[in-house]
Amino acid sequence: MKKLKKRFIIPAVVFILGMCALIGAIYVVGKSQEQQNRTNAKLNAMTYTERIYGELMEGIGVTDSLKQVVISGDGNINRFYDIAANMMDDSIQSIQIAPNGVVTEIYPEESNESSKIDLINDSDRGEISRYARDNDTVIMQGPLELKQGGYGIAVRNPVYLENENGQKSFWGFTIVILKVPEIFSESVEALSSFGYKYSLQKFASPWDDTYEWVYGSKEELNNPVIYDFNVYGYKWRLEILPKSGFYNNRYLLYLFIGGGVIVLLLAGLTAALISINENRKNFKRLAVTDALTGIYNRHGFDEQVEQYMRQNPQKHCVVAMLDIDDFKLVNDVYGHAAGDGALQKLAESMKQYFSKDVILGRNGGDEFSIFMPDCTVEEVKPFLKKFTGETKKFYCKGEEHTFTISLGFAEYPVLADDRSQLMRCADMALYEVKMRGKNGCMAYREGERIKSRAKLGFAVKDIIDNMPGAFIVYRADKENDEILLANSELLRLTGCKNMDELLAYTGKSFCNLIRPDEQESCQKSIWSQINGGHSNDYIFFHMRKADGTYISVLNHGRIVDSVHNGRVFYVMIMDLKSLQRHYGDCLELVEK
């Protein structure tokens, strides 16, 4: 009888426990599936929100470009139709200007409203246009049904002109009508192809927090993933939901049926646990890894170091902090892609140079951290000096370029009680290296007064970027006068939005900033002064702007021997018209 009971009771208990385990496993797998699908949906929402934002900003950028043309022309815009034609693409319905708020020019004229529209006093457009004018902010109205068919979003960018007294006055609007959904067609098509239902919405107006539907699935999405973003003060919202929902019910049904057999139940359960565990590890790895360089990010680095110091509180160890010297110049001169390449090359050299037990991390930007366990400062000092002194290279357009690093390091527990204090010591040593001329390696010395981080940044950023005058650096080479750096005031004076635009229209040559008929005489004057043993005195010429017009300027420079670029000119450029306006007729002699 007992044997009979065991024969039935034990299998029954195993069956019941197995069924409980199966039901529990199905629940866990279902929740994990939902979480994983939600995570994927969040990542997709984040990715395509960025793309939609970029597509919208690219369309809105048309009004910014047109605005700069109006400002540079002091309120006059010539060849509007030629300029607008160059800005048009398939996602734009029309480009318009509205001096004093009245639409006077529309491109293309065909199939668009040709009558003048008073935006300020129009019943449908007036309130929001007045808001844009009074608050000096870009507004987006729509989606509006277009007379040509389809829908569009009207972007109006207020333009203010500044007189010689610094007073601003409203000029009017630069306007672009963006087609919906063409403006973000690539993003929404990609979402659809990935099997998502979606809904794109935005605030109806800057003062109204009610969302209005822009494009997508008109029906309400049940418990979707939501991602909000802002465009010029307008809150936009992207909602996405897998077409089949977050649960795959068919899979769960098959799992339940297969679980009737205990062996298959165990095998399926094991496979599910392995899959879940692997997903967990992958997400954890992604959370602590820097995507660009493949080494630990700041969070991952701190976590690893904390764990080591917690487990080995008495062992000596060293933390080093380093960064790339003049990394901003690398980005400005060669572009951010080259800057990323330099960061990757530096990370690769660190992985090759240091042993496997050394923890490597990127703090952010061009700053890296190195943790060396079970060692002292004296032991690693020669090793770190050798690494700092090695030539480091990156490539831009197939050409090889070199860069240097600065490194500071400190020892635990000699100078610090915990990780954060140890990293602060290493950071202070790093900035002491910066203060001494960069491209060096130094250990932190207890009690030393090291200048603050803020003072170091003063030299490069505040003096160059915020210099109250136009400033440019170019090679002192008659055959290759390549432009290396220009500050924001020089970009403003030439009518450029950024350094890339300046390099594009000059072909990277300083000579191309000079009016063609003056190039030879200007260059001859500059080099005759240099060859005569004098610094570059004041030189007068007409400087070509990005829009092809010319302004009268004075050039005053110095020739300098640069460690990385050889002989270069540091040049201040002054707008002669501005000088005459402030200092009177005495400057007319200079132009003559």
Side-chain angles (χ1 to χ4, degrees):
M1 183 65 69
K2 287 184 180 180
K3 289 184 180 182
L4 190 61
K5 284 184 179 180
K6 280 187 178 182
R7 187 178 298 173
F8 289 98
I9 292 176
I10 293 177
V13 170
V14 170
F15 177 79
I16 293 171
L17 292 176
M19 291 302 297
C20 291
L22 175 62
I23 294 170
I26 289 174
Y27 176 80
V28 170
V29 170
K31 294 300 290 184
S32 174
Q33 184 183 84
E34 180 194 17
Q35 183 178 0
Q36 183 175 349
N37 288 338
R38 279 192 173 276
T39 300
N40 291 337
K42 287 178 182 178
L43 291 173
N44 280 314
M46 185 185 305
T47 298
Y48 287 101
T49 293
E50 292 291 335
R51 288 179 59 174
I52 290 171
Y53 174 82
E55 290 160 346
L56 284 170
M57 291 303 295
E58 185 175 347
I60 296 170
V62 171
T63 65
D64 287 327
S65 300
L66 205 55
K67 180 178 181 178
Q68 291 304 315
V69 173
V70 172
I71 292 173
S72 65
D74 198 23
N76 297 314
I77 179 167
N78 299 320
R79 300 171 58 200
F80 167 75
Y81 292 97
D82 293 337
I83 295 170
N86 289 329
M87 294 179 176
M88 285 292 291
D89 60 34
D90 293 339
S91 64
I92 297 176
Q93 178 64 38
S94 67
I95 299 173
Q96 309 171 11
I97 57 172
N100 297 315
V102 179
V103 177
T104 58
E105 302 289 348
I106 301 177
Y107 181 87
E109 293 179 299
E110 300 81 17
S111 75
N112 283 300
E113 291 184 82
S114 57
S115 59
K116 294 184 178 181
I117 303 171
D118 184 351
L119 298 175
I120 300 299
N121 299 304
D122 185 80
S123 59
D124 296 325
R125 306 171 178 93
E127 184 178 14
I128 196 166
S129 297
R130 290 191 295 273
Y131 180 90
R133 178 196 64 187
D134 297 341
N135 293 275
D136 190 9
T137 185
V138 175
I139 57 96
M140 289 173 284
Q141 188 174 10
L144 308 170
E145 189 171 358
L146 302 175
K147 292 185 176 181
Q148 303 84 351
Y151 293 86
I153 295 176
V155 179
R156 303 188 191 105
N157 195 339
V159 181
Y160 283 80
L161 299 180
E162 186 173 336
N163 62 22
E164 59 185 14
N165 298 320
Q167 296 176 329
K168 290 185 177 182
S169 61
F170 176 68
W171 177 86
F173 297 102
T174 55
I175 305 166
V176 63
I177 307 299
L178 304 176
K179 295 180 183 178
V180 176
E182 285 83 352
I183 184 63
F184 32 71
S185 59
E186 291 184 6
S187 299
V188 296
E189 286 173 7
L191 280 172
S192 182
S193 65
F194 278 122
Y196 287 102
K197 295 188 290 186
Y198 55 87
S199 176
L200 184 62
Q201 307 164 36
K202 75 172 186 66
F203 276 5
S205 63
W207 59 83
D208 187 354
D209 59 0
T210 303
Y211 280 102
E212 62 180 358
W213 182 84
V214 176
Y215 191 72
S217 307
K218 292 188 176 181
E219 72 273 13
E220 183 178 352
L221 303 182
N222 185 24
N223 195 22
V225 167
I226 297 174
Y227 198 88
D228 293 329
F229 62 103
N230 284 285
V231 181
Y232 281 105
Y234 279 80
K235 193 169 184 181
W236 288 66
R237 170 169 290 178
L238 177 64
E239 298 180 352
I240 69 171
L241 180 71
K243 293 178 180 177
S244 58
F246 291 111
Y247 286 99
N248 188 335
N249 295 323
R250 182 175 296 179
Y251 169 76
L252 298 178
L253 178 61
Y254 289 159
L255 184 62
F256 179 79
I257 295 173
V261 180
I262 295 178
V263 173
L264 294 179
L265 170 66
L266 294 176
L269 182 59
T270 301
L273 290 174
I274 291 174
S275 177
I276 293 170
N277 190 51
E278 191 64 30
N279 287 334
R280 183 185 62 81
K281 288 181 179 179
N282 286 338
F283 283 123
K284 182 175 179 59
R285 178 179 58 81
L286 291 173
V288 299
T289 302
D290 177 59
L292 180 65
T293 61
I295 61 178
Y296 285 113
N297 59 20
R298 180 61 184 268
H299 173 73
F301 179 86
D302 290 350
E303 188 176 75
Q304 292 294 314
V305 174
E306 287 279 7
Q307 181 179 344
Y308 176 88
M309 297 177 73
R310 187 168 56 251
Q311 294 174 352
N312 305 278
Q314 303 303 319
K315 282 191 175 183
H316 288 248
C317 55
V318 173
V319 158
M321 297 187 70
L322 65 141
D323 65 9
I324 297 175
D325 296 329
D326 301 319
F327 183 68
K328 185 179 184 300
L329 287 179
V330 175
N331 280 332
D332 289 346
V333 175
Y334 301 104
H336 288 278
D340 287 348
L343 295 174
Q344 290 171 328
K345 288 294 183 183
L346 178 55
E348 288 175 10
S349 68
M350 291 166 62
K351 286 187 279 190
Q352 293 172 3
Y353 190 84
F354 293 96
S355 59
K356 297 293 184 182
D357 61 337
V358 172
I359 301 170
L360 306 175
R362 179 186 175 200
N363 295 348
D366 65 320
E367 189 172 86
F368 293 79
S369 297
I370 304 170
F371 177 79
M372 291 162 281
D374 199 18
C375 60
T376 65
V377 159
E378 292 303 317
E379 291 171 349
V380 302
K381 189 173 183 179
F383 192 68
L384 291 175
K385 280 191 173 182
K386 181 181 177 184
F387 174 72
T388 304
E390 286 184 349
T391 301
K392 294 168 179 62
K393 305 173 183 178
F394 69 95
Y395 296 87
C396 179
K397 297 180 180 179
E399 295 182 1
E400 182 180 276
H401 303 275
T402 61
F403 64 91
T404 61
I405 65 170
S406 297
L407 184 146
F409 56 103
E411 180 180 344
Y412 169 89
V414 177
L415 298 172
D417 298 324
D418 56 24
R419 176 197 58 77
S420 60
Q421 187 179 2
L422 181 63
M423 294 189 72
R424 282 196 298 271
C425 291
D427 188 58
M428 286 190 284
L430 168 62
Y431 278 89
E432 178 67 2
V433 174
K434 293 288 190 183
M435 295 297 296
R436 296 189 181 194
K438 308 176 184 177
N439 190 22
C441 174
M442 177 180 289
Y444 175 76
R445 293 187 291 275
E446 187 175 13
E448 183 176 15
R449 299 284 294 180
I450 297 181
K451 294 178 177 63
S452 70
R453 189 185 200 124
K455 288 187 177 180
L456 178 68
F458 182 83
V460 176
K461 184 173 181 57
D462 293 343
I463 292 180
I464 294 179
D465 283 350
N466 298 314
M467 182 179 290
F471 176 74
I472 192 169
V473 180
Y474 67 95
R475 294 189 190 278
D477 187 330
K478 296 179 182 178
E479 305 300 326
N480 178 23
D481 59 346
E482 179 185 4
I483 297 173
L484 301 175
L485 176 67
N487 71 349
S488 57
E489 184 64 19
L490 190 284
L491 296 177
R492 184 198 67 76
L493 197 60
T494 57
C496 295
K497 296 194 293 291
N498 51 48
M499 187 71 180
D500 288 338
E501 187 173 313
L502 174 68
L503 295 177
Y505 95 83
T506 60
K508 300 184 179 179
S509 170
F510 175 78
C511 188
N512 289 335
L513 282 172
I514 306 172
R515 197 169 71 186
D517 62 326
E518 298 175 342
Q519 291 177 1
E520 183 177 350
S521 61
C522 284
Q523 294 287 55
K524 184 177 179 180
S525 177
I526 291 171
W527 284 103
S528 65
Q529 294 170 27
I530 297 301
N531 294 332
H534 302 286
S535 63
N536 180 14
D537 202 352
Y538 286 98
I539 302 294
F540 167 77
F541 64 89
H542 291 86
M543 185 171 72
R544 183 166 69 96
K545 299 177 64 175
D547 61 3
T549 60
Y550 293 91
I551 58 172
S552 302
V553 297
L554 286 177
N555 167 321
H556 185 67
R558 289 287 185 271
I559 193 167
V560 178
D561 289 319
S562 167
V563 175
H564 302 294
N565 296 294
R567 301 183 81 199
V568 298
F569 279 123
Y570 287 2
V571 180
M572 293 291 295
I573 294 179
M574 291 154 279
D575 182 359
L576 188 58
K577 186 178 291 185
S578 296
L579 291 175
Q580 289 174 331
R581 188 164 55 244
H582 287 89
Y583 298 105
D585 297 335
C586 62
L587 289 174
E588 292 181 2
L589 296 173
V590 178
E591 185 169 5
K592 293 180 181 178

